[in-house]
Structure formats: C-alpha cells, structure tokens
Amino acid sequence: MYRSFRQFHILNILKEYDQQSLPLDLVLRDYFRLHKALGSKDRGYIAETAYILVRWKGLLDALSQEKEPDWSHRLDLFLDDALEKAKKHSDFPDHTRLSFPKHLFDLIVNTHGLDQACDICAVSNQPAPTTVRINTLKTTREEMLRRWKGAYEVFPCPVSPNGIVFHRRVNFFVMPEFKEGLFEVQDEGSQLLAGLVQPKPGDLVMDYCSGSGGKTLAFAPLMQNKGQIYLHDIREHVLQESKKRLRRAGIQNAQVVMAEDPKLKKLKKKMDWVLVDVPCTGTGTLRRNPDIKWKFDEEMLPRIQGQQRVIFEKALSFLKPGGKIVYSTCSILKEENREQVAHFMKTYQLELAGEVFETLPIAGGMDGFYGAVLKGSAG
C-alpha cells in the first residue's frame, strides 16, 4: 500500500517504540533529532497521530479483523474514521470502548465508581494542556502575561497563582524567557502539589525523590534563598539536570546529595520539611504518558506499593521531631494514596496536617495528583 511521507514516519516511530522500553515522548524526541529535515507542521501531525494510535490501541484492536493487528493496520483504521464511530459503540465493554486494559480499568472503578471512572478514562485519552509555572524569584505572572500578549494565546491557570496555560504547543526551550529562568513547564496540579511544602526562610528541606527538581523549583522561592534544600535521588543523571535547572532559576540555597553520599547520615532527623514524591503507577498522567497503561500488569501495583513503603520510611528518617513530611503521587488509585497514608499514620504515629490534596484529570485542565502533609510528634 502507498504510504504518504507523514505516514511513513509515523509507522517508523511506532516500530521503534515497540522495540525499546522508552516512553513515547522520548522515542519521538530521539527520532526528530535524527530527522532534522522534518518541518514543525509535519512533526506536529506525526506526534499527534502517534499519540492517538497509542492511546486508542485497545479499541483499534477490538475493531480489527486481524488476529494480531500491527501499527500499519491500526493506522488504516484510524484514517478510515473507524475510531470516531467506535468510541460511541454501545456493544463494546466499557474498558474496551475507552481503550483501557481491563485490570487497570477495574482498579479505577474500585477507587472512583463506574461513572467517574469512565469520565477519568475518557479525559485520559485526550491531549494534555500545555502549562507553565512562573518563577517568582525573577518575575510575576502579570508581567509574563503582558510580555506574551499578542505573541501567544495564553491565559492564567484557574487555581495555581503562578500558572499560565498556552493554547497551542510552543517550543519553550528556545524561548529567551526560558533561558533566562523566568518559567518552567509544569502541570497546574503539580504546581499545587508542590505548594503543600511551605518552608520558611531559614528552614531545612529534603526533596527525597527529587528527580530533576521540578517541585523544588516551585517551593524554593518561599525560602528567599535562605536555609537549605537538599535534592536526593538514586538516578545521577536526573540530579545533574536539576543542577542546570536550579542555576537557571537563580536558586542559590539548594544542593544535590547523591544516594551514597556520606553527608546523608549527618542530615538524619534535621529536616523541617521532607517531600517524598514516590514512584507510582502514573495513572494520573496518562494523557502525557499513554504507554503506561499498556505496560500495566497485575504484579505492578503490589510491587510499587512495597517500594513506596520502603522509600517513605527512608525519607521519614530525615524528619526532625515536630517536622512535616509530604507524601505525594501522580496516581489516582486508592491503593497508592489514601490506603498508604493510613498505613503510614498507623505505623509511624503520624497525624494529618490539613486537608488531603487530590486532583483528577480534567479536560483542558490539570492532571491527577495526590498529596498528604503528615506531622510527627514533637519528640
């Protein structure tokens, strides 16, 4: 069959995606780096179509007459508009109609009930909005809205005080405002979750599973570059990336602590705040990472729950008496959220400090996140 220029690249990308364990966004990034001749409109169409095919793989396969459909066959079904008709097909089970593995769909139903689970899955199959967080150490949201007015379609986030939504995708990393450290790309829900950490100038803070420091970048301005933030992660490459981000943002009171650093022992029971943003199923961010749902299996959740408990106990060892620890996930499953918090409270004699934070994926809005601030005894 004749394939257009764009279809040829879509199928090449999806074949590469099948042959490695990288998430789709990184596969696309690497492919586009190797194919610099592709224009921005071509890249946009290719990436968007690849995401659609991965999101709707389950329903496309149910529609197929092939015993083992491949990406070429799925692409043909999509191009024939079979997908749009099938989204409203009442004869398919809910999980198939919504293109979700049954085991994962059942877990979401078990947490949220059938109607809300269907809404969550439907929203999770849509593109995520493009949101940035303004760096208040260097500028204000009002100033950036003025600066971008006319050049981009932007509007303030409805809840996060420092968030701005871009109506269209933008290559942020080439923008002078990004290079100046005036903003970072961050979902509105993630911005609000980071806001659970409320350190005062002079406090000691441990971001235990820091990754490349996205949440540290959000709460650090509260400290006015006074006190100290320690970023810890077992992945050295993400900590190296965090150093670049901290430098660009003008955050001077943060340092990276590698997993085997002897300094860690001296920091035990010293922190006013600990953030433990644990590894999780990522079920609140499926719009951005649709491949997660197809990698989900029945062994994954209990394995991750065990990891979360081990990590939390290690993170807790850095909290001083009377300090506060924030447990957070980008999951929408009760097994990773409220059930874990109940376990931590019972096991370590911790108390909830304030309301639990929980968001669900919203069409055109934030992703799904969970956070709870827990307080230890004063000693």
Side-chain angles (χ1 to χ4, degrees):
M1 175 184 286
Y2 168 76
R3 289 292 182 192
S4 73
F5 168 77
R6 287 175 168 181
Q7 292 168 21
F8 170 80
H9 285 289
I10 290 165
L11 293 176
N12 274 354
I13 287 166
L14 292 171
K15 285 173 187 172
E16 288 191 19
Y17 163 72
D18 273 348
Q19 291 166 4
Q20 51 189 293
S21 59
L22 288 175
L24 181 58
D25 61 333
L26 296 186
V27 174
L28 285 163
R29 181 201 67 186
D30 293 346
Y31 189 86
F32 290 148
R33 280 179 179 171
L34 288 173
H35 296 81
K36 290 186 165 64
L38 286 168
S40 60
K41 289 185 179 178
D42 289 325
R43 290 176 183 226
Y45 177 85
I46 289 165
E48 182 184 356
T49 306
Y51 267 98
I52 289 170
L53 293 175
V54 172
R55 285 188 180 109
W56 293 100
K57 179 169 78 80
L59 181 53
L60 288 167
D61 288 358
L63 289 169
S64 175
Q65 302 298 317
E66 302 286 329
K67 189 173 182 181
E68 294 185 8
D70 59 13
W71 289 113
S72 180
H73 189 63
R74 293 171 187 136
L75 178 58
D76 289 339
L77 287 168
F78 167 69
L79 295 172
D80 288 340
D81 286 331
L83 184 59
E84 290 307 312
K85 297 170 188 172
K87 287 177 185 178
K88 300 171 184 176
H89 200 301
S90 58
D91 293 342
F92 285 126
D94 286 327
H95 76 278
T96 303
R97 179 175 56 82
L98 292 160
S99 195
F100 264 69
K102 188 174 189 309
H103 178 63
L104 177 54
F105 180 76
D106 288 345
L107 285 169
I108 298 172
V109 171
N110 192 34
T111 298
H112 299 284
L114 179 59
D115 289 345
Q116 192 167 41
C118 288
D119 289 343
I120 290 168
C121 292
V123 171
S124 296
N125 285 326
Q126 299 173 7
T130 304
T131 312
V132 304
R133 177 190 49 76
I134 300 309
N135 178 10
T136 56
L137 282 174
K138 293 190 171 187
T139 188
T140 65
R141 181 164 74 172
E142 291 69 29
E143 171 59 29
M144 296 311 296
L145 286 168
R146 281 195 297 271
R147 189 162 171 172
W148 286 331
K149 185 178 180 182
Y152 306 102
E153 290 185 65
V154 293
F155 56 91
C157 284
V159 185
S160 174
N162 299 316
I164 295 178
V165 179
F166 279 71
H167 185 63
R168 298 182 189 280
R169 289 187 178 277
V170 177
N171 185 0
F172 294 112
F173 308 117
V174 300
M175 292 171 62
E177 296 92 341
F178 178 79
K179 294 176 181 178
E180 292 168 33
L182 303 185
F183 73 91
E184 285 282 343
V185 181
Q186 188 176 26
D187 178 82
E188 183 180 16
S190 180
Q191 295 178 35
L192 295 170
L193 183 60
L196 294 180
V197 184
Q198 290 282 311
K200 304 184 301 297
D203 277 356
L204 299 181
V205 183
M206 171 73 74
D207 187 348
Y208 189 72
C209 299
S210 68
S212 60
K215 293 183 176 62
T216 283
L217 292 167
F219 67 70
L222 296 173
M223 300 174 71
Q224 301 168 20
N225 276 320
K226 298 171 185 174
Q228 195 66 211
I229 306 168
Y230 300 92
L231 288 82
H232 169 277
D233 203 284
I234 61 172
R235 299 162 294 170
E236 187 172 342
H237 70 281
V238 296
L239 290 176
Q240 294 303 328
E241 178 63 24
S242 73
K243 289 181 181 179
K244 297 177 191 174
R245 298 178 80 188
L246 291 163
R247 191 161 50 245
R248 187 170 61 236
I251 295 167
Q252 299 163 4
N253 64 325
Q255 59 180 286
V256 162
V257 187
M258 302 291 182
E260 303 302 322
D261 194 319
K263 186 189 299 180
L264 284 171
K265 291 182 180 178
K266 298 177 182 178
L267 300 177
K268 298 274 184 173
K269 298 184 178 179
K270 298 284 179 63
M271 299 297 116
D272 298 283
W273 287 87
V274 175
L275 170 61
V276 54
D277 188 27
V278 292
C280 67
T281 57
T283 44
T285 58
L286 292 174
R287 291 182 297 185
R288 302 174 196 278
N289 305 291
D291 32 328
I292 289 174
K293 64 182 177 182
W294 304 120
K295 295 173 182 175
F296 193 92
D297 59 43
E298 295 192 21
E299 290 76 35
M300 182 180 291
L301 183 56
R303 183 178 71 248
I304 287 176
Q305 285 176 287
Q307 291 172 352
Q308 290 167 347
R309 292 186 179 190
V310 169
I311 290 169
F312 183 87
E313 183 169 342
K314 289 180 178 178
L316 185 62
S317 69
F318 292 95
L319 192 68
K320 77 177 189 181
K324 291 178 180 177
I325 183 167
V326 178
Y327 173 82
S328 68
T329 76
C330 56
S331 170
I332 56 171
L333 302 178
K334 65 179 182 180
E335 291 86 352
E336 298 179 90
N337 295 337
R338 60 177 180 262
E339 289 183 6
Q340 291 288 52
V341 168
H343 168 79
F344 299 143
M345 291 172 66
K346 181 179 178 181
T347 305
Y348 304 109
Q349 288 76 56
L350 301 171
E351 295 181 355
L352 266 178
E355 296 292 319
V356 165
F357 174 84
E358 188 168 19
T359 63
L360 297 175
I362 301 169
M366 61 188 81
D367 285 335
F369 293 94
Y370 180 92
V373 183
L374 301 168
K375 186 174 182 179
S377 63

